[in-house]
Amino acid sequence: MTNQDILDRLAAVVESRKPANGGDPEKSYVARLLHKGPDAFLKKIGEEATETVMAAKDVDHGGDKAKLVGEVADLWFHTMIALAHYGLTPADVVNELARREGLSGLEEKALRKVQERERLGD
């Protein structure tokens, strides 16, 4: 089983929990977040991002790396809920990462700035 298979399986579970697909907010955490709407899952993403930063800072001072892994997993999971809400999948993110492969981070950032200026100029 590949990492992509795991992401795809998890994405399918998240998709199945959408209220439109019969997800029951009384029985499913994912369905509850999706039922509450973007404010609920976006707040969770913010909380998990903060917890990820704090865990990383702890690792810098001898903390447990497993805690960092757990927080990143929580962050990824909640971002997958957001992706599903907006009709996107982990594959969309993986494809974007593949598109960026081989570009330096500085080149990629400069390209995004140019594209944004062009978009705003239209």
Side-chain angles (χ1 to χ4, degrees):
M1 178 148 310
T2 69
N3 291 339
Q4 187 61 46
D5 292 335
I6 293 166
L7 288 174
D8 290 342
R9 277 196 352 247
L10 183 54
V13 169
V14 170
E15 188 68 26
S16 75
R17 300 295 197 265
K18 285 182 171 180
N21 295 334
D24 183 350
E26 298 297 319
K27 296 180 181 175
S28 164
Y29 172 73
V30 172
R32 188 176 316 134
L33 282 178
L34 289 167
H35 177 75
K36 288 180 178 179
D39 285 349
F41 58 77
L42 295 175
K43 180 179 176 188
K44 281 301 294 182
I45 291 170
E47 290 171 7
E48 298 302 342
T50 299
E51 290 171 8
T52 298
V53 170
M54 290 170 28
K57 290 292 203 175
D58 287 346
V59 170
D60 284 338
H61 300 284
D64 185 4
K65 289 181 181 181
K67 174 101 167 107
L68 175 57
V69 170
E71 294 301 344
V72 171
D74 290 345
L75 178 59
W76 286 13
F77 177 74
H78 287 89
T79 59
M80 289 178 69
I81 294 171
L83 288 172
H85 174 79
Y86 295 110
L88 299 165
T89 68
D92 295 313
V93 177
V94 170
N95 290 339
E96 176 61 13
L97 291 170
R99 183 192 68 77
R100 293 179 185 186
E101 187 177 19
L103 286 177
S104 82
L106 296 175
E107 289 172 329
E108 200 278 330
K109 187 174 181 178
L111 179 60
R112 277 190 283 139
K113 283 184 178 181
V114 168
Q115 290 170 336
E116 181 65 15
R117 276 196 298 261
E118 289 173 353
R119 187 184 69 78
L120 293 173
D122 288 342

